[in-house]
Amino acid sequence: METQILLDNPYLEKFQGDKLNTVTARLKVLSNPDRLKILCVLVNQELHVQQIENFTQIRQPTLSQQLTVLRQANIVVTRREGKQIYYQIQDQNVLKLMQTLDALYCSSQHED
């Protein structure tokens, strides 16, 4: 009976092939604490590198490395204004996920 329930699971059918690989790749990128911090501060706003550093307390070499990973994964996009490079979340699915994580774990009503 239990095996039949698992085989008839409609969610399992949705997570096949490319979709499964896409979800796995996104979650792998999001599994880093520094990258999560960066995305948390970008949820509601576009920020330049110095602002991200100030908000997250991630120092420049590490910050640069993690922003590169997020950019290469097409999660964030950049915009140059003078000498400043601004970052914002580009992937709307990641934005929704970050908003959900915020509601679940960061709201003042959340209890462990």
Side-chain angles (χ1 to χ4, degrees):
M1 176 83 175
E2 191 172 309
T3 303
Q4 185 62 34
I5 292 171
L6 291 175
L7 293 175
D8 292 337
N9 187 333
Y11 297 105
L12 186 59
E13 291 176 19
K14 292 179 183 180
F15 280 127
Q16 298 293 324
D18 290 341
K19 284 187 179 183
L20 181 61
N21 293 335
T22 299
V23 171
T24 303
R26 284 291 185 255
L27 291 175
K28 187 175 181 180
V29 171
L30 296 176
S31 69
N32 178 282
D34 287 336
R35 290 192 289 266
L36 271 179
K37 277 198 236 179
I38 293 166
L39 292 170
C40 282
V41 300
L42 293 176
V43 164
N44 295 315
Q45 58 195 336
E46 175 186 67
L47 297 172
H48 62 72
V49 175
Q50 186 62 45
Q51 291 171 314
I52 297 170
E53 182 178 7
N54 291 340
F55 284 129
T56 62
Q57 297 299 303
I58 301 169
R59 295 296 153 227
Q60 186 62 41
T62 302
L63 181 60
S64 178
Q65 181 182 31
Q66 299 310 329
L67 286 169
T68 297
V69 171
L70 292 170
R71 200 172 51 250
Q72 289 175 343
N74 295 315
I75 292 175
V76 298
V77 65
T78 61
R79 174 182 69 83
R80 182 178 287 278
E81 187 174 298
K83 292 184 179 183
Q84 297 291 347
I85 299 176
Y86 287 82
Y87 286 83
Q88 67 180 6
I89 297 176
Q90 162 179 282
D91 185 319
Q92 292 303 302
N93 289 331
V94 170
L95 179 60
K96 289 175 190 174
L97 182 58
M98 294 306 298
Q99 291 167 336
T100 301
L101 290 173
D102 180 67
L104 290 172
Y105 295 104
C106 303
S107 71
S108 59
Q109 297 175 358
H110 174 72
E111 296 180 22
D112 293 325

